[in-house]
Each structure stands twice: as structure tokens, then as C-alpha cells.
């Protein structure tokens, strides 16, 4: 009976400790989110939260969280909480904490006490050594919580005492006058402390030992994944917030209110007037809209895909299904991997030196298409080959057992099974080439903001001739604009500064938003295509 009562008490204490540890993890996650918001200027470290200065609030929360983490370790060590810690926190944790405290000791000694190189290095080694010993020698419950808790308390006290405040600046003393300011340093330090506190609290929640290590590792993975998603969301939201005012400035609807445009061989008047896209009213004044750049970007990507995908998939089929595994295939693998990692400016120089002289000796849309196609080709080969290798050999053997030829097996079995992977590679490649500036600048860049009447009409430009190659298209051989090049010209080259643009900042952000929408549209089409083939493969 006594044993049953003791077990019940331990269970109640443990559940209470788990609830407290979960609360600490939640508060640390909130701090991590606040720090991300501060990095992207959604929050300001000078603005108060609930009437409390943000830096003081961050310092208070970090101090309380650090004390809570220390309490978890001490409670486990003295038997107030039922846990199963290992004899040591491990070598990895010991090295990590010694590195953190080495940096803290060196910064305090050099910046706060003004010690020279020998002095701050000595102090750094002492603090790093103490942290290593404090992590490796005690049990896991102390070694995993004490260094983290003391670090969080130290950072909290630094914030509360104003050592690092909203006006703090650390001049690195370099010739380039580099420095760290509070707007950057405080969010980064807070995010780092939040991750450490979350990890230690998660281990306490899991009772240390194997379960605690797994819970801590999972939490770090989840927080990192959420931070990646949050950064992506904040990046898109920030661009949308900055670009919307200029994008919809002066937008009106009405039959025949828009300018006349020729697309795909047809001339028509738009039922709305969109100054930013179509012409030069209000925001742009006498500067033309970005419709030619949008159409040029779309045709660039389409041309690159049409050129690279058949060649890339065909090469992958030959290497995977026909060529014997040997030195030739190894050389091809090395070459394709090297080409994919080649900087885009090199492809641009290749297009300028090799393609431009052979395609009318001038910058043209066709030269840009082929240059971006050569950039996309290595990734198509790599991903297509990997997708085909992932198809089980049993599929090929079963097809061969039915007397089907090798090409029929590839066409009816291998390619359909590998299509989702191939489309994934195309999606990744399109995302890269659609935003490239250097190849466009060197091979096809025309006027930064041509009038809407100069929108490239590739389909309507085709005409048949009586001499080889029996078809011509002057639209492909003329220079045109594209969104990456136009955005580069607006920001870096200073185009628009001296022109009659009412708000150059809005114009830049609106152009960036349009480019983002175009790229995400290509992503959406690719993802929908992959989903279609995957569903079709599963049903079959």
C-alpha cells in the first residue's frame, strides 16, 4: 500500500513538472517568434509591449526561463522529480556549451573590461573549460540544464541592466566601419537563447535519458522547420505589404478603358486600365508599364523549358537505361553536377560569346531562352536520372517477362513512374532561372520599360517561308525586357531616378511583387502537374 501511495505521489509530481516544462517551452517558442518578427521589422525593439519596454520584457522572460531551467535540473538531481538521466550530458553538448561560454567570456573580457588579446583569450579558455566541465562531469540533468540556465539568466540581466539596450552599437573597429547594432543583435541573441531553453526544457519534459534526448531533438527540428516556414511567410508578406500600394495605384475598370495590345496575333483593348502594368498614368506618369517585362519573363521560362526538358530527360533515359555503368557515366555525373553549380554569370558570358553572334549578332529573346535552357539542363538530367533509378527493377523485370521491348518498357513503365520526380526537378530549376539577372543582362536585355505596343508576340510572329528553315519569327530575334532585368535596373543601375516616376520606391517594390507572383505561378503549375501525375500513378 505504501508503495502504491508513493507511486501516485511521484506521478502527480511528475505530471506537474511536465506541465511546467511544457509552459517553459511554450514561452520560449513565443520569444523565438518575437525575435523573428523583430528581425523582419514587424516589431520594433523600441516599442513597448503591454506598456513594458520590449528589451526589459525580453530580459525578464529570459531570466525567469533560465531560473526555471536551473530548477528543473536541481529538482531532478535531488530527487524531487522522477527522471532517468544518464551519467553525463555527452561530448557533443559539452563541446557546444564550452564554445558558447568561450565566446561569452572572451566578449565580456575584451569589451566590458578592456583586456588585451592575451587577457581575453585566457578568460575565454577559463570560462569555456568551466562550461565543459560543468556539462561533462555531472549527471545529465545538471549538465543539460545548468549551462543553459546560467546563460539565459546572464543574457536576461544584460538586457535588464541596459548593457545591451535599444541604442547599443558594437563597433568592430574594421576599416570598413562594420558594426553590430541593437536592432540586429537583440533579436538574434534572444532567438538563440530561446532555442537553448526550449531544448533543455524539452529534455526535462521527457525525463532526460533516451526519451528526453529524443524530445529535445524533435523540438529543435520542429522549431527549425517552423522558423523556415515563418521566414518564407514573412518574406512573401513583407514583399506584398511593400508592393501592393504601387501595384494597384490608379487601377480602373470599364469597357475599352485599357490600351490596345497585340497578343498571340490578336489586337484587343483591355477592359481595365492598370497604370503600373500597361501604360504611364498616375504612379508612372510618362514611364511605361511592366507588361512587356511580364510577357518577356514568361516566354523566357517557356522557351528554356521547351529546350531543356526533352534533352535532359532523353539524356537521363540513355544514361540510366542504355549506357553501361562505367567511366563514361561517372564523367557525365561529374559534369552535370559541376554545370548545375556553375555561376549564372558564366552561362551569361557563354551566351554572349557563343549564342549572340550566331543569332543575328545582337541580343535577342531566343539567345536568352537558350542560355537559360543550358542553365536548366543539368538539373533536369540529374533529377530525371535519380527519379528513374528510384523505379524498382521489379517493374522492368515484370515488363520484360511479358515480352515487351525495352523502349516500350521505358515509355510505359519507367517514365510514368518517374514523372513526379522529373517534374519536381523542373520546378526547382524554373524557380532558379526565372529570377536570374546576369544571363538576361548579357543576352537579351532591351529597353528597361518599353511601351505596351512592344510586348513580344511569339506565337503571332511565326510565318512560313519558301526557303529553309521554311519558318521565321522576327519576334524571337529582337531584344526585350524581363522582370529580373527591369528590377535590377531600377535598384542598382538607378534607372528611374531622373525620370518622371511619382514614387520610385513603390515602383521598385511593385516590380518585385510582380516577379514573385510570376515565379510562384510557375511553382503552382509545376506542383499541380506533379500532383496530377502522382494521383494518376497511384490509381493505375
Amino acid at each position: 500500500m505504501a508503495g502504491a501511495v508513493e507511486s501516485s505521489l511521484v506521478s502527480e509530481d511528475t505530471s506537474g513538472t511536465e506541465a511546467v516544462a511544457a509552459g517553459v517551452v511554450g514561452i520560449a517558442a513565443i520569444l523565438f517568434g518575437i525575435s523573428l518578427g523583430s528581425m523582419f521589422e514587424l516589431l520594433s525593439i523600441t516599442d513597448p509591449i503591454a506598456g513594458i519596454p520590449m528589451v526589459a520584457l525580453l530580459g525578464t522572460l529570459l531570466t525567469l526561463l533560465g531560473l526555471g531551467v536551473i530548477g528543473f535540473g536541481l529538482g531532478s538531481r535531488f530527487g524531487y522529480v522522477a527522471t532517468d538521466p544518464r551519467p553525463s550530458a555527452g561530448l557533443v553538448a559539452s563541446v557546444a556549451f564550452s564554445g558558447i561560454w568561450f565566446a561569452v567570456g572572451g566578449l565580456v573580457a575584451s569589451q566590458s573590461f578592456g583586456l588585451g588579446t592575451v587577457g581575453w583569450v585566457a578568460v575565454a579558455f577559463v570560462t569555456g573549460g568551466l562550461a565543459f566541465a560543468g556539462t561533462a562531469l555531472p549527471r545529465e540533468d545538471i549538465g543539460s540544464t545548468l549551462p543553459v540556465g546560467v546563460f539565459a539568466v546572464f543574457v536576461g540581466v544584460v538586457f535588464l541592466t541596459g548593457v545591451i539596450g535599444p541604442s547599443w552599437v558594437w563597433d568592430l573597429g574594421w576599416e570598413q566601419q562594420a558594426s553590430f547594432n541593437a536592432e540586429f543583435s537583440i533579436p538574434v541573441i534572444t532567438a538563440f537563447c530561446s532555442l537553448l531553453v526550449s531544448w533543455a526544457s524539452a529534455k526535462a519534459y521527457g525525463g532526460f535519458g533516451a526519451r528526453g534526448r529524443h524530445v529535445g531533438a524533435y523540438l529543435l527540428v520542429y522549431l527549425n522547420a517552423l522558423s523556415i516556414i515563418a521566414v518564407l511567410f514573412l518574406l512573401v508578406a513583407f514583399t506584398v505589404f511593400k508592393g501592393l500600394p504601387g501595384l494597384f495605384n490608379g487601377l480602373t475598370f470599364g469597357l475599352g478603358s485599357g490600351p490596345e495590345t497585340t497578343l498571340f496575333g490578336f489586337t484587343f483593348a483591355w477592359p481595365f486600365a492598370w497604370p503600373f502594368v500597361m501604360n504611364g498614368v498616375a504612379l508612372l506618369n510618362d514611364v511605361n508599364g511592366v507588361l512587356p517585362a511580364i510577357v518577356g519573363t514568361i516566354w523566357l521560362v517557356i522557351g528554356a523549358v521547351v529546350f531543356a526538358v526533352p534533352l535532359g530527360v532523353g539524356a537521363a533515359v540513355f544514361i540510366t537505361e542504355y549506357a553501361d555503368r562505367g567511366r563514361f557515366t561517372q564523367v557525365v555525373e561529374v559534369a552535370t553536377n559541376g554545370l548545375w553549380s556553375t555561376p549564372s554569370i558564366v552561362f551569361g558570358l557563354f551566351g554572349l560569346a557563343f549564342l549572340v553572334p550566331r543569332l543575328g549578332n545582337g541580343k535577342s529573346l531566343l539567345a536568352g531562352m537558350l542560355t537559360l535552357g543550358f542553365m536548366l539542363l543539368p538539373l533536369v538530367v540529374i533529377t530525371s536520372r535519380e527519379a528513374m533509378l528510384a523505379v524498382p527493377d521489379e517493374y522492368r523485370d515484370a515488363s520484360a517477362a511479358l515480352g515487351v521491348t525495352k523502349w516500350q518498357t521505358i515509355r510505359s513503365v519507367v517514365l510514368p513512374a518517374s514523372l513526379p520526380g522529373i517534374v519536381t526537378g523542373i520546378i526547382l530549376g524554373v524557380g532558379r532561372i526565372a529570377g536570374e539577372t546576369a544571363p538576361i543582362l548579357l543576352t537579351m536585355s532591351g529597353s528597361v520599360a518599353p511601351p505596351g505596343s512592344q510586348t513580344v508576340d511569339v506565337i503571332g510572329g511565326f510565318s512560313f517561308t519558301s526557303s529553309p528553315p521554311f519558318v521565321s519569327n522576327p519576334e524571337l530575334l529582337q531584344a526585350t525586357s524581363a522582370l529580373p532585368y527591369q528590377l535590377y535596373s531600377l535598384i542598382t543601375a538607378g534607372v528611374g531616378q531622373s525620370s518622371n516616376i511619382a514614387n520610385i520606391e513603390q515602383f521598385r517594390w511593385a516590380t518585385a511583387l510582380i516577379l514573385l507572383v510570376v515565379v510562384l505561378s510557375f511553382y503552382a503549375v509545376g506542383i499541380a502537374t506533379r500532383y496530377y501525375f502522382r494521383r494518376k500513378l497511384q490509381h493505375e
Side-chain angles (χ1 to χ4, degrees):
M1 181 65 69
V5 173
E6 182 179 357
S7 176
S8 176
L9 291 174
V10 169
S11 177
E12 292 178 2
D13 292 342
T14 303
S15 62
T17 303
E18 290 179 350
V20 174
V24 171
V25 172
I27 296 174
I30 293 174
L31 277 180
F32 187 76
I34 293 175
S35 63
L36 285 180
S38 300
M39 291 180 193
F40 283 87
E41 300 180 359
L42 299 178
L43 298 173
S44 175
I45 61 172
T46 59
D47 295 337
I49 298 180
I52 304 175
M54 179 178 288
V55 178
L57 179 62
L58 295 178
T60 302
L61 291 178
L62 287 176
T63 303
L64 294 177
L65 291 177
L67 293 175
V69 169
I70 294 174
F72 293 148
L74 295 177
S76 173
R77 181 65 181 84
F78 292 106
Y80 294 108
V81 182
T83 57
D84 185 24
R86 298 178 66 193
S88 174
L91 181 61
V92 175
S94 302
V95 173
F97 291 141
S98 64
I100 294 172
W101 280 102
F102 179 90
V104 170
L107 290 174
V108 171
S110 61
Q111 302 301 316
S112 299
F113 296 100
L115 299 181
T117 303
V118 177
W120 74 257
V121 170
V123 173
F125 272 107
V126 171
T127 55
L130 291 175
F132 185 89
T135 306
L137 297 181
R139 291 196 326 182
E140 183 186 14
D141 45 11
I142 296 296
S144 298
T145 57
L146 188 60
V148 174
V150 173
F151 179 68
V153 171
F154 171 78
V155 173
V157 171
V158 168
F159 288 171
L160 289 173
T161 56
V163 176
I164 297 180
S167 59
W168 176 82
V169 176
W170 178 23
D171 188 0
L172 299 179
W174 298 352
E175 293 182 0
Q176 294 81 2
Q177 297 180 351
S179 63
F180 289 110
N181 55 21
E183 288 79 4
F184 171 79
S185 301
I186 291 178
V188 171
I189 295 173
T190 303
F192 183 67
C193 287
S194 301
L195 287 176
L196 289 179
V197 169
S198 300
W199 173 78
S201 302
K203 291 192 72 173
Y205 176 85
F208 301 102
R211 181 171 179 265
R213 292 195 304 276
H214 292 162
V215 173
Y218 289 151
L219 181 69
L220 287 181
V221 172
Y222 290 148
L223 283 179
N224 285 327
L226 288 175
S227 65
I228 293 173
I229 297 174
V231 168
L232 177 61
F233 174 78
L234 290 174
L235 177 63
V236 175
F238 187 78
T239 305
V240 171
F241 176 77
K242 289 283 191 178
L244 282 180
L247 183 63
F248 293 111
N249 195 332
L251 176 63
T252 58
F253 293 90
L255 293 177
S257 61
E260 290 188 353
T261 305
T262 300
L263 284 177
F264 308 120
F266 299 96
T267 301
F268 59 93
W270 294 87
F272 55 87
W274 196 347
F276 176 79
V277 175
M278 297 179 174
N279 50 34
V281 183
L283 173 68
L284 307 182
N285 294 328
D286 60 355
V287 178
N288 299 296
V290 298
L291 181 60
I294 296 174
V295 177
T297 303
I298 294 174
W299 278 118
L300 264 179
V301 174
I302 292 176
V305 170
V306 170
F307 171 74
V309 171
L311 287 178
V313 174
V317 168
F318 174 76
I319 296 171
T320 306
E321 303 296 331
Y322 289 100
D324 295 330
R325 180 68 182 175
R327 183 164 298 180
F328 172 75
T329 56
Q330 294 176 353
V331 170
V332 172
E333 290 179 11
V334 174
T336 52
N337 290 326
L339 283 175
W340 175 240
S341 59
T342 301
S344 60
I345 187 66
V346 177
F347 284 98
L349 291 173
F350 164 76
L352 178 64
F354 184 80
L355 297 176
V356 170
R358 291 163 175 80
L359 297 174
N361 201 25
K363 296 181 180 180
S364 63
L365 177 62
L366 182 59
M369 287 178 174
L370 295 178
T371 302
L372 295 183
F374 281 117
M375 286 185 59
L376 179 61
L377 183 60
L379 183 64
V380 175
V381 174
I382 294 170
T383 55
S384 301
R385 183 173 181 275
E386 293 298 328
M388 293 176 192
L389 289 175
V391 177
D393 289 335
E394 288 80 2
Y395 291 6
R396 300 176 176 87
D397 296 339
S399 180
L402 296 175
V404 179
T405 64
K406 190 176 186 64
W407 170 241
Q408 289 177 328
T409 300
I410 295 171
R411 185 187 61 187
S412 304
V413 178
V414 178
L415 283 178
S418 58
L419 267 178
I422 296 173
V423 174
T424 300
I426 297 172
I427 294 173
L428 295 175
V430 166
R432 178 189 178 188
I433 65 173
E436 287 293 347
T437 303
I440 298 174
L441 178 66
L442 295 174
T443 59
M444 64 151 284
S445 58
S447 175
V448 176
S453 59
Q454 293 185 11
T455 301
V456 61
D457 184 11
V458 174
I459 294 181
F462 281 104
S463 61
F464 293 99
T465 62
S466 58
S467 59
F470 304 109
V471 65
S472 66
N473 192 334
E475 296 288 325
L476 291 175
L477 298 179
Q478 72 176 11
T480 186
S481 183
L483 287 171
Y485 169 66
Q486 183 160 329
L487 186 60
Y488 160 80
S489 301
L490 289 169
I491 296 175
T492 306
V495 174
Q497 296 286 0
S498 58
S499 60
N500 197 19
I501 295 180
N503 193 324
I504 185 65
E505 192 70 18
Q506 285 188 4
F507 188 51
R508 291 167 177 170
W509 279 108
T511 305
L513 178 57
I514 287 290
L515 176 59
L516 182 63
V517 170
V518 171
V519 174
L520 292 180
S521 299
F522 281 119
Y523 274 142
V525 172
I527 292 172
T529 305
R530 181 181 62 185
Y531 180 75
Y532 167 78
F533 284 117
R534 185 173 293 173
R535 285 285 302 273
K536 185 177 180 180
L537 181 64
Q538 290 175 351
H539 286 301
E540 291 178 354

